[in-house]
Amino acid sequence: MKKMAKKVLMPLDFSTYSQQMFKIIPELQQLGLEELLLAHVVKIKGDGAEDIRPAKKLFLEMSEKYINEARKNEIEVSTRVCLGMPSEEICRLAISEACDMIVIGSTGEGS
C-alpha cells in the first residue's frame, strides 16, 4: 500500500475539539503516518507585538501526553508555535514543512 500521509500537520487551538483529533492517529498510521507536526498559531491582535512564550509553554504542557503517546507508537513528533493569522500560518507551515496532509477540527476556539 502506498504511503499517502507520511507527514501530517495537526494545528491545535487548545479547544476540546482539537484535542479530539488525536483519536484518529491509528487511522493516520494506516495511511502511512511517520511524522506528526503539532502546531499552534497565536493570532495577531492590535500592533502584533504579542509575546508567544506563554503560548509555547502552555502548548507544550497541553500536548505532552499526546506527544508521548505518538512517540510510543513510533511516530516522530515535532512542534511549532508561531504568530500570525491562523489560516495563513497553517498553510505556510504545511508548505515549508512539506506536509502531505493537514488534519484540523471543523470547530474550535477560532470558529
Side-chain angles (χ1 to χ4, degrees):
M1 174 193 228
K2 182 180 176 189
K3 293 185 177 186
M4 297 172 50
K6 289 175 68 173
K7 187 170 184 177
V8 173
L9 170 59
M10 189 177 285
L12 303 173
D13 64 4
F14 309 127
S15 69
T16 303
Y17 300 103
S18 71
Q19 293 176 32
Q20 295 297 318
M21 290 189 306
F22 285 93
K23 292 181 179 179
I24 68 163
I25 296 293
E27 292 173 52
L28 293 173
Q29 283 184 289
Q30 290 178 354
L31 294 173
L33 176 65
E34 295 177 2
E35 186 176 350
L36 184 62
L37 173 57
L38 302 176
H40 177 67
V41 180
V42 178
K43 188 174 180 179
I44 295 175
K45 298 176 185 166
D47 64 2
E50 288 84 357
D51 182 359
I52 65 171
R53 288 177 293 187
K56 281 184 179 182
K57 184 175 188 272
L58 179 63
F59 177 71
L60 290 174
E61 288 171 2
M62 292 187 72
S63 58
E64 182 177 13
K65 72 177 182 178
Y66 303 114
I67 292 169
N68 291 337
E69 188 65 31
R71 287 182 176 152
K72 280 184 205 173
N73 289 301
E74 298 181 6
I75 299 168
E76 184 180 329
V77 181
S78 55
T79 60
R80 301 284 186 284
V81 176
C82 45
L83 180 65
M85 292 303 297
S87 58
E88 293 172 7
E89 290 302 312
I90 290 166
C91 290
R92 184 191 61 74
L93 269 175
I95 293 167
S96 68
E97 295 288 335
C99 294
D100 300 306
M101 180 185 291
I102 301 171
V103 176
I104 189 167
S106 60
T107 304
E109 291 295 318
S111 297

